[in-house]
């Protein structure tokens, strides 16, 4: 007899005014930083650059980015947050969130030059995760975080060609 197949359905969904409370809850569990009202306001206006991820219809993670115009008139995409609840890690959900962002960033209409982010220097899982997707550590920002230890952050970047 063949084994019972494991039901596993992964889907991405929009962040809207109706489910932004889910994002608040996720962030409160996933990150040591409290995000302000302006963060949530911004997230509602970035279209495909902010997403929730569902595992078997349960909301278990998210990604939120910001488009920034740099000094040289290039547009950069900054990943503000990307996280998956602990019991749902190593199932490929983070991959799906990041792949979606990289695909959108590669869309010529978005004119994105690079994608970058900060991560605490002790976050080995996140560094391995981003390196798997072609990101490289480009510098260390000393005392980047004011209220969490360690305070230093790596900047990881990936150029969009
Ligand atoms: N150790 C080593 N490599 C890892 C780890 C780990 N703990 N986690 C992920 N990876 C790498 C592996 O190569 C993995 O592939 P594999 O499982 O086939 O070996 C690959 O990343 C993809 O893993 P996913 O299952 O897609 O990633 P996951 O859904 O577990 O999410 C994430 C990874 C987002 C880093 C998760 O650990 C998390 O939510 N952490 C807490 C929040 C956080 O630290 N977010 C990132 C920093 S903030 C920011 O991004 C701006």
């Amino acid at each position: 007899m063949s084994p019972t197949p494991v039901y596993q359905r992964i889907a991405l969904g929009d962040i809207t005014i109706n489910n932004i409370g889910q994002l608040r809850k996720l962030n409160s569990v996933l990150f040591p930083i409290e995000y302000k009202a302006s963060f949530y306001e911004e997230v509602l206006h970035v279209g495909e650059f902010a997403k929730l991820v569902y595992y078997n219809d349960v909301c278990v993670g998210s990604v939120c980015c910001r488009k920034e115009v740099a000094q040289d008139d290039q547009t950069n995409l900054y990943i503000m947050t990307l996280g998956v609840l602990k019991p749902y890690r190593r199932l490929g959900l983070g991959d799906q969130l990041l792949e979606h962002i990289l695909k959108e960033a590669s869309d010529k209409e978005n004119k994105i030059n690079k994608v970058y982010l900060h991560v605490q220097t002790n976050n080995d899982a996140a560094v391995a995760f981003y390196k798997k997707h072609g990101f490289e550590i480009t510098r260390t920002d000393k005392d980047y975080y004011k209220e969490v230890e360690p305070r230093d952050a790596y900047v990881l970047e990936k150029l969009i060609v």
Side-chain angles (χ1 to χ4, degrees):
M1 214 169 75
S2 58
T4 311
V6 179
Y7 179 61
Q8 177 177 296
R9 198 168 74 88
I10 299 170
L12 300 189
D14 294 340
I15 298 173
T16 71
I17 194 77
N18 297 318
N19 62 19
I20 197 131
Q22 299 258 24
L23 179 67
R24 280 179 195 278
K25 279 202 185 118
L26 285 170
N27 283 356
S28 71
V29 177
L30 287 168
F31 304 108
I33 293 166
E34 198 182 324
Y35 291 92
K36 297 194 180 113
S38 55
F39 171 96
Y40 294 98
E41 187 57 38
E42 193 176 344
V43 160
L44 287 173
H45 297 100
V46 292
E48 289 301 310
F49 290 120
K51 285 285 181 188
L52 296 172
V53 64
Y54 296 83
Y55 184 81
N56 294 342
D57 302 327
V58 180
C59 182
V60 297
S62 65
V63 59
C64 298
C65 308
R66 168 197 295 149
K67 266 171 110 171
E68 298 175 340
V69 178
Q71 281 175 342
D72 49 10
D73 215 28
Q74 302 272 14
T75 302
N76 296 332
L77 191 71
Y78 182 64
I79 303 180
M80 299 189 284
T81 58
L82 189 160
V84 174
L85 294 177
K86 212 167 195 172
Y88 301 92
R89 289 183 194 159
R90 300 308 284 263
L91 295 171
L93 303 183
D95 272 354
Q96 295 244 352
L97 287 167
L98 189 54
E99 284 301 330
H100 172 81
I101 293 303
L102 293 174
K103 183 166 114 333
E104 288 295 321
S106 302
D107 185 329
K108 292 276 176 276
E109 281 193 12
N110 283 316
K111 297 188 177 131
I112 306 283
N113 175 51
K114 74 173 178 189
V115 181
Y116 78 108
L117 60 120
H118 283 90
V119 67
Q120 266 180 297
T121 51
N122 67 342
N123 195 340
D124 296 337
V127 170
F129 169 73
Y130 282 110
K131 281 190 169 172
K132 182 193 169 192
H133 289 272
F135 284 74
E136 286 178 13
I137 295 174
T138 53
R139 64 169 198 269
T140 303
D141 281 352
K142 294 286 288 173
D143 294 329
Y144 177 77
Y145 297 103
K146 302 300 171 218
E147 287 165 16
V148 292
E149 291 289 341
R151 296 167 133 225
D152 298 349
Y154 291 132
V155 175
L156 285 126
E157 293 187 1
K158 181 182 169 97
L159 294 179
I160 302 296
V161 282

